[in-house]
Amino acid sequence: MAAMRYRLTFVAGAVLGYVLGTKAGRERYEQMKRSALQLAQNPAVRNTAESAAQQSREFADKAYHVMSDKVGDRMPDSVAQRVHALRERTAHGPAEDDWGTSNT
């Protein structure tokens, strides 16, 4: 009998918590969503994000070339040919991935 009352109390509390939490949760979610959109539209934030993306692409490109120069002679021929082909492709314009989309 006590176990049944405990279960009923637990279920009632869980249902009440869920109902109250979803109402407050949705309002808070909408508030955070509005704040995130305002932040994303801020010109300073956009410029910083674009600058960071450009710097990371440049760093990745440098790291790619350094690593391929250092390990290129120790790679199997099939891998070395693929690296060479990728280097040629990136040297002649914007790089595209295997799906034909630009990485920029």
Side-chain angles (χ1 to χ4, degrees), residues 1 3-5 16-18 21-23 29 32 39 43 47-48 55 58 62 64 74 77 90 95-96:
M1 189 75 138
M4 185 63 145
R5 187 177 352 175
L16 181 62
Y18 176 79
T22 55
K23 182 175 181 177
Y29 167 77
M32 290 187 316
L39 183 65
N47 289 340
T48 302
Q55 288 176 353
E58 290 172 5
K62 288 177 186 175
Y64 165 77
R74 294 184 212 115
D77 287 337
T90 57
E96 291 187 352

Side-chain angles (χ1 to χ4, degrees), residues 23-44:
K23 182 175 181 177
R26 184 67 182 180
E27 291 170 5
R28 180 69 179 140
Y29 167 77
E30 292 296 332
Q31 181 186 19
M32 290 187 316
K33 183 177 167 184
R34 283 190 304 272
S35 296
L37 287 173
Q38 287 176 343
L39 183 65
Q41 292 173 354
N42 183 329

Side-chain angles (χ1 to χ4, degrees), residues 8-24:
L8 183 59
T9 304
F10 176 78
V11 169
V15 168
L16 181 62
Y18 176 79
V19 169
L20 294 175
T22 55
K23 182 175 181 177

